[in-house]
């Protein structure tokens, strides 16, 4: 007679409260097997968690087990940890881990032989050797490498990967966005050939599924692999994980903002801990949270201050926009920057002009003294709302009419920050009619356009590139001599606790585009706040003093890493409904001890897809208090974001 076995199964689809269901089957199934089972009238995928004793209630049978080996056990532990740490159903964690289209049959791609790799021939620099020794000598789980742009961090990742493969261990390398960082993938493929499995956001569902199946195969065969790809690659099944690398670890793409709102850094640290692997973080401008962890000895820390080509990073020239004499032929571009661009173009070299678009959200600055209109409670910039003719604080909901004169200098030339790439492009066309100008921003950025602009730049067919964040990253062009930041304040005066940090990072990144060839290049930073520490420190590449000041400010104002944050957002069909629900809940939260609740206030983007969004920010030194709130939201119209990377 057949034995009936019982299993606890975690559905991969969100089913409200039901997180673990019991089924029966005649099959003997190991934990980690993926099965199809009935839920109501649907057939859903689930992961077998464990065998279970016969329950008191009637069970349904498992429909079938997918012809896949069981998922590695480290992924189980990680899914449980994520569900707990981010106060989410475990089904969301599994949903984030497994590729879509799992039940589809995919044509097998024959696996080629995995051969030992070929590392680049040229010798490591003394700096690179030192960092490798420091990582080897450290007993810490996590190691932070802070290396200026062009310091050869990729080569260090390659060496560490080769060491892991030699121990028969797999490696996961996370990159912010492969489309913008093609060199790093190329470097890994060149070094490790078919051992590399690369994934990126532009792959189709079928392609991504196939990469995942190949990874699963290597688990069965015990073959080490090198996985290179975005955030989601953190969950790839691999055989004997030995190393996780997170490149450009400060990037915001490592935070998932939908469904399961997790951050890849703590999640990677947890996976590394479970697997007994090492985590290596790399960045020219790491987040101050990581710097603080290094400062208290929780992670080890290496710095590389020299570029591989030994050309020093140029000092940025700060141009004070309050000085109206600097603007002779253009309202937006100072004469000094314009002349530099002109000289660069006429000597056959290239210029990049960077504009931040996110800031077109209308903070107000006095063009005479640089004073920013700020919330008296939160000390964060107020945002102007043209429909209400009012400034609003998006944290505490403080409101005031637009001031006519500057309270600081009595000047009357108060300006809203903003101004898009198109306007600057038009201005340049007018001023430099003979230059070949191209524009790159979110609106114009299809993959094909991106590739065509890159290749035209390489061939010297473009003289000036105007763009947003898209041009700040990854561009490695030896002939860029001049870099200009049109208005650094648009980032600086966003009403958010990370604004100064983002400003420092962006100025450094954009500046890093210059001087990658044989000349140091020149960098111009236009700003109304020439004395702001984020701007002066970024201009002189003085990361340590920036980080120290920024951490002190965070400590005084009560922001991470000194408190934990929880952002609660309600979505409603009318402003009245959103406001009244938010006020009611905020009042209840304000009665609790051990936490501070701020708001409610309209979200930075109050109306999204026809719904009204209001937010409450909760702070606490005790993270479990926040997890508890996130676990017990009043109704499904609320969403919780633990450890948000901004409060916008
Ligand atoms: Zn003023
Ligand atoms: Zn406020």
């Amino acid at each position: 007679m057949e034995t009936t076995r019982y299993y606890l199964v975690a559905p991969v689809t969100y089913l409200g409260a039901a997180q673990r269901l019991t089924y029966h089957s005649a099959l003997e199934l190991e934990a980690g097997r993926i099965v199809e089972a009935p839920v109501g009238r649907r057939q859903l995928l689930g992961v077998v968690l464990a065998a279970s004793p016969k329950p008191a209630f009637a069970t349904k049978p498992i429909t079938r087990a997918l012809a896949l080996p069981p998922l590695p056990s480290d992924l189980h532990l990680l899914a449980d940890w994520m569900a707990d740490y981010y106060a989410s159903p475990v089904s969301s964690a599994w949903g984030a881990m497994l590729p879509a289209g799992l039940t589809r049959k995919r044509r097998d791609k024959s696996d080629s032989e995995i051969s030992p790799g070929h590392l680049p021939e040229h010798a490591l620099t003394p700096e690179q050797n030192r960092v490798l020794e420091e990582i080897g000598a450290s007993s810490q789980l996590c190691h932070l490498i802070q290396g200026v742009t062009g310091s050869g961090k990729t080569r260090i990742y390659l060496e560490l990967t080769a060491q892991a493969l030699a121990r028969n261990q797999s490696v996961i390398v996370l990159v912010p966005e492969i489309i913008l960082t093609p060199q790093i993938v190329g470097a890994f493929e060149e070094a490790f050939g078919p051992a590399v499995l690369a994934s990126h956001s532009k792959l189709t569902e079928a392609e991504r599924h196939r990469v995942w199946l190949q990874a699963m195969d290597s688990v069965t065969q015990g073959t080490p692999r090198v996985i290179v790809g975005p955030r989601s690659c953190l969950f790839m099944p691999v055989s004997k994980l030995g190393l996780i690398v997170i490149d450009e670890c400060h990037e915001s793409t490592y935070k998932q903002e939908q469904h399961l709102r997790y951050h890849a850094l703590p999640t990677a640290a947890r996976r590394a801990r479970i697997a007994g692997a090492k985590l290596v973080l790399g960045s020219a401008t790491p987040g101050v949270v990581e710097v603080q962890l290094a400062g208290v000895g929780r992670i080890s820390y290496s710095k590389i201050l020299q570029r591989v080509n030994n050309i020093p990073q140029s000092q940025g020239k700060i141009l004070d926009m309050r000085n109206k004499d600097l603007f002779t032929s253009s309202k937006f571009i100072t004469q000094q920057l314009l002349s530099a661009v002109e000289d660069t173009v006429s000597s056959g070299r290239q210029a990049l002009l960077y504009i931040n678009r996110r800031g077109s959200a209308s903070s107000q600055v006095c063009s005479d003294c640089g004073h920013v209109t700020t919330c008296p409670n939160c000390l964060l910039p107020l945002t102007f709302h043209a429909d209400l003719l009012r400034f609003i604080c998006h944290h505490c909901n403080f409101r005031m009419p637009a001031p006519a004169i500057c309270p600081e200098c009595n000047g009357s030339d108060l300006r809203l920050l903003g101004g898009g790439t198109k306007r600057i492009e038009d201005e340049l066309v007018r001023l430099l009619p003979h230059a070949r100008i191209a524009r790159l921003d979110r609106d114009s950025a299809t993959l094909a356009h991106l590739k065509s602009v890159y290749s035209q730049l390489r061939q010297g067919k473009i003289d000036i590139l105007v763009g947003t964040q898209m041009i700040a990253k990854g561009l490695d062009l030896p002939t860029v001599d001049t870099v200009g930041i049109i208005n650094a304040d648009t980032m600086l005066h966003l009403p958010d606790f990370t604004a100064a940090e983002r400003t420092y990072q962006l100025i450094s990144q954009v500046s890093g585009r210059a001087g990658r060839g044989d000349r140091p290049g020149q960098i111009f930073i236009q700003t109304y706040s020439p004395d702001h520490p984020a701007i002066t420190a970024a201009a002189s590449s003085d990361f340590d003093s920036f980080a120290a000041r920024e951490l002190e400010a965070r400590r005084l104002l009560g922001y991470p890493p000194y408190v934990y944050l929880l952002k609660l957002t309600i979505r409603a069909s009318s402003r009245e409904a959103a406001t009244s629900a938010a006020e009611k809940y905020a009042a209840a939260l304000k009665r609790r001890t051990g936490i501070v609740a701020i708001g409610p206030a309209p979200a930075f983007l109050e109306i999204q897809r026809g719904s009204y969004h209001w937010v409450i920010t909760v702070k606490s030194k005790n993270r479990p208090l926040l997890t508890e709130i996130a676990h017990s939201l009043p109704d499904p119209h609320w969403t919780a974001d633990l450890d948000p990377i901004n409060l916008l």
Side-chain angles (χ1 to χ4, degrees):
M1 202 189 93
E2 253 182 8
T3 335
T4 305
R5 299 175 168 89
Y6 296 88
Y7 296 103
L8 266 184
V9 173
V12 173
T13 312
Y14 177 60
L15 296 173
Q19 303 221 1
R20 288 174 174 81
L21 303 170
T22 309
Y23 291 93
H24 67 264
S25 172
L27 299 170
E28 190 171 349
L29 297 168
E30 297 158 87
R33 285 294 297 271
I34 302 174
V35 295
E36 214 170 21
V39 177
R41 285 186 199 164
R42 292 186 293 171
Q43 289 290 331
L44 296 179
L45 285 181
V47 180
V48 174
L49 297 175
S52 144
K54 185 178 194 301
F57 49 87
T59 54
K60 289 182 183 175
I62 285 173
T63 312
R64 66 177 179 123
L66 268 56
L68 288 167
L71 294 164
S73 60
D74 65 331
L75 287 180
H76 282 244
L77 296 168
L78 191 64
D80 287 344
W81 177 84
M82 287 175 84
D84 185 49
Y85 195 76
Y86 291 110
S88 289
V90 77
S91 59
S92 307
W94 284 116
M97 288 185 172
L98 298 175
L102 260 180
T103 50
R104 299 245 166 73
K105 273 246 177 301
R106 306 282 182 208
R107 208 156 21 87
D108 264 355
K109 274 211 296 202
S110 64
D111 222 345
S112 40
E113 198 61 22
I114 288 174
S115 57
H118 306 280
L119 285 172
E121 304 252 308
H122 56 267
L124 293 156
T125 64
E127 292 276 81
Q128 289 169 332
N129 271 317
R130 173 179 57 81
V131 174
L132 284 167
E133 277 166 26
E134 285 169 0
I135 294 173
S138 160
S139 57
Q140 298 274 25
L141 170 100
C142 177
H143 194 100
L144 171 63
I145 307 172
Q146 188 206 335
V148 296
T149 42
S151 64
K153 290 188 291 294
T154 304
R155 181 64 194 278
I156 295 175
Y157 306 153
L158 292 175
E159 292 294 327
L160 292 170
T161 301
Q163 291 171 10
L165 289 175
R167 294 188 302 263
N168 212 25
Q169 290 178 322
S170 292
V171 177
I172 296 176
V173 182
L174 300 187
V175 292
E177 176 50 81
I178 278 195
I179 300 295
L180 297 175
T181 49
Q183 307 96 310
I184 189 163
V185 185
F188 273 90
E189 282 177 338
E190 199 167 309
F192 305 112
V196 176
L197 287 178
S199 180
H200 61 78
S201 58
K202 297 280 196 288
L203 289 184
T204 62
E205 179 185 304
E207 287 167 327
R208 219 169 301 171
H209 185 192
R210 231 173 253 128
V211 171
W212 187 85
L213 287 174
Q214 276 178 282
M216 278 298 269
D217 276 349
S218 58
V219 174
T220 319
Q221 292 152 7
T223 327
R225 287 286 198 175
V226 182
I227 311 280
V228 187
R231 186 179 67 214
S232 59
C233 283
L234 183 54
F235 306 121
M236 279 288 208
V238 291
S239 150
K240 295 192 218 70
L241 181 62
L243 171 71
I244 304 175
V245 173
I246 304 187
D247 188 36
E248 307 291 346
C249 65
H250 63 278
E251 283 288 341
S252 57
T253 54
Y254 290 123
K255 174 74 162 58
Q256 175 153 303
E257 299 281 13
Q258 273 147 14
H259 308 298
L260 180 62
R261 293 177 179 77
Y262 71 92
H263 198 292
L265 265 60
T267 310
R270 177 53 53 162
R271 186 162 188 199
R273 185 176 297 284
I274 293 167
K278 213 164 209 153
L279 170 63
V280 170
L281 309 174
S283 171
T285 53
V288 294
V289 171
E290 280 69 54
V291 171
Q292 193 262 347
L293 288 173
V296 298
R298 297 263 306 278
I299 59 181
S300 53
Y301 190 11
S302 299
K303 294 180 195 178
I304 318 177
L305 301 171
Q306 258 174 344
R307 289 178 163 190
V308 172
N309 66 5
N310 275 322
I311 290 181
Q313 174 113 37
S314 300
Q315 297 268 308
K317 204 164 270 150
I318 296 175
L319 297 169
D320 184 351
M321 293 171 82
R322 295 172 305 180
N323 179 358
K324 280 158 197 167
D325 299 340
L326 297 185
F327 297 89
T328 42
S329 36
S330 163
K331 258 171 73 184
F332 307 110
I333 307 169
T334 54
Q335 198 53 42
Q336 209 175 341
L337 173 55
L338 191 62
S339 309
V341 171
E342 219 169 347
D343 290 348
T344 299
V345 172
S346 61
S347 68
R349 310 277 286 189
Q350 291 163 316
L352 296 183
L353 294 181
Y354 172 81
I355 297 145
N356 184 61
R357 268 271 286 267
R358 258 186 100 196
S360 51
S362 316
S363 303
Q364 189 183 49
V365 60
C366 168
S367 77
D368 293 318
C369 76
H371 175 79
V372 179
T373 309
T374 304
C375 171
N377 307 322
C378 307
L379 306 179
L380 290 166
L382 293 168
T383 304
F384 186 66
H385 287 255
D387 51 342
L388 305 167
L389 290 174
R390 286 248 176 326
F391 279 91
I392 298 182
C393 172
H394 284 278
H395 293 275
C396 72
N397 204 22
F398 171 83
R399 289 164 189 237
M400 67 175 217
I405 55 163
C406 171
E408 203 63 36
C409 72
N410 292 326
S412 57
D413 193 2
L414 298 169
R415 291 186 189 174
L416 292 173
L417 292 172
T421 39
K422 183 75 178 69
R423 211 151 91 193
I424 300 297
E425 187 190 12
D426 294 345
E427 189 85 343
L428 284 166
V429 169
R430 179 177 69 82
L431 295 164
L432 304 171
H434 302 296
R436 294 163 301 174
I437 301 166
R439 175 164 61 95
L440 205 54
D441 53 27
R442 284 262 173 242
D443 305 333
S444 64
T446 62
L447 187 55
H449 180 64
L450 211 66
K451 281 189 172 155
S452 124
V453 168
Y454 283 3
S455 87
Q456 288 181 63
L457 278 165
R458 288 232 158 69
Q459 296 161 21
K461 289 181 179 163
I462 292 173
D463 301 315
I464 306 171
L465 179 63
V466 183
T468 55
Q469 265 82 339
M470 312 286 303
I471 71 166
K473 290 161 198 172
L475 275 186
D476 191 359
L477 299 163
T479 51
V480 170
D481 272 3
T482 301
V483 161
I485 294 165
I486 298 298
N487 187 341
D489 306 279
T490 51
M491 312 168 240
L492 193 59
H493 301 322
L494 275 178
D496 189 59
F497 72 103
T498 59
E501 184 174 44
R502 295 270 164 235
T503 300
Y504 185 95
Q505 291 169 346
L506 265 162
I507 294 176
S508 305
Q509 269 175 2
V510 178
S511 304
R513 300 309 116 210
R516 298 180 81 90
D518 52 358
R519 302 184 202 176
Q522 43 184 351
I523 298 147
F524 297 91
I525 304 162
Q526 301 193 148
T527 173
Y528 290 114
S529 313
D531 305 317
H532 193 287
I535 298 208
T536 53
S540 55
S541 309
D542 187 357
F543 181 79
D544 290 347
S545 80
F546 166 72
R549 291 190 74 136
E550 176 65 10
L551 281 168
E552 182 57 13
R554 299 257 188 115
R555 199 179 60 76
L556 288 171
L557 296 170
Y559 282 112
Y562 301 101
V563 299
Y564 294 100
L565 290 179
L566 169 65
K567 181 165 78 172
L568 299 169
T569 307
I570 184 158
R571 195 185 66 241
S573 55
S574 72
R575 181 172 285 149
E576 294 66 38
T579 317
S580 76
E583 274 167 357
K584 205 171 129 210
Y585 190 32
L589 288 172
K590 282 175 187 179
R591 286 194 292 272
R592 295 204 194 184
T593 52
I595 60 163
V596 177
I598 301 156
F604 191 61
L605 300 170
E606 185 186 4
I607 305 169
Q608 296 169 49
R609 290 192 214 130
S611 304
Y612 289 80
H613 294 71
W614 275 58
V615 290
I616 303 171
T617 306
V618 190
K619 293 180 177 182
S620 181
K621 286 188 191 279
N622 184 351
R623 199 174 182 282
L625 289 178
L626 299 182
T627 322
E628 195 187 303
I629 294 170
H631 264 306
S632 52
L633 298 174
D635 64 66
H637 299 295
W638 286 93
T639 52
D641 189 357
L642 272 156
D643 311 328
I645 54 167
N646 63 58
L647 291 173
L648 295 179

